[in-house]
């Protein structure tokens, strides 16, 4: 199962996102649920960096692991844009989780 953990600040902005595990909905290389989660999450990280010219600290590892931290200290005009892109990522991951609830679980205090 893929687990998405979202940690938020007291103002409900995203502080960090951790994604780990494999869906196991098909054989390795054929798992469309894993492919969807990977495409959504890595596409969002790339979008933040390419569109906003902001380095978003991210660590990628084995077994579908991705950890993204949103540092304090971004220029005020960037904070809302970074958060909007990340919220879009979470909303897209919720769509996958709704369709494939046996394979994706999202832990976030906010629900879409």
């Amino acid at each position: 199962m893929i687990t998405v953990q979202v940690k938020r600040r007291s103002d409900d902005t995203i502080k960090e996102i951790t994604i780990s595990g494999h869906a196991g909905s098909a054989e390795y290389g054929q798992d469309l649920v894993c492919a969807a989660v990977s495409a959504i999450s890595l596409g969002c990280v790339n979008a933040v960096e390419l569109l906003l010219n902001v380095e978003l600290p991210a660590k990628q590892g084995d077994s579908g692991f991705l950890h993204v931290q949103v540092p304090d200290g971004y220029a005020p005009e960037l904070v809302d844009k970074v958060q909007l892109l990340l919220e879009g990522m979470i909303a897209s991951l919720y769509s996958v989780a709704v369709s494939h609830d046996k394979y994706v679980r999202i832990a976030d205090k906010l629900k879409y």
Side-chain angles (χ1 to χ4, degrees):
M1 173 173 276
I2 296 172
T3 302
V4 179
Q5 292 185 313
V6 181
K7 292 187 180 175
R8 295 181 179 270
R9 294 179 177 87
S10 60
D11 64 356
D12 287 337
T13 58
I14 295 170
K15 180 178 181 178
E16 59 187 76
I17 300 167
T18 304
I19 301 172
S20 60
H22 285 290
S25 68
E27 292 183 35
Y28 181 79
Q30 303 294 317
D31 195 327
L32 296 180
V33 177
C34 274
V37 170
S38 293
I40 290 166
S41 58
L42 294 175
C44 178
V45 171
N46 289 337
V48 169
E49 292 182 349
L50 292 171
L51 297 174
L52 303 178
N53 291 317
V54 171
E55 186 174 337
L56 191 60
K59 293 179 186 174
Q60 191 175 1
D62 294 334
S63 298
F65 180 82
L66 177 68
H67 182 256
V68 178
Q69 285 189 288
V70 183
D72 295 322
Y74 283 147
E77 63 274 8
L78 289 178
V79 171
D80 289 340
K81 293 176 183 177
V82 170
Q83 289 294 319
L84 181 62
L85 287 170
L86 292 175
E87 291 292 355
M89 178 179 88
I90 301 302
S92 294
L93 291 171
Y94 264 112
S95 295
V96 174
V98 166
S99 299
H100 304 283
D101 61 342
K102 291 180 3 182
Y103 305 108
V104 180
R105 184 178 67 85
I106 298 178
D108 184 1
K109 72 178 188 176
L110 297 183
K111 304 293 182 203
Y112 291 89

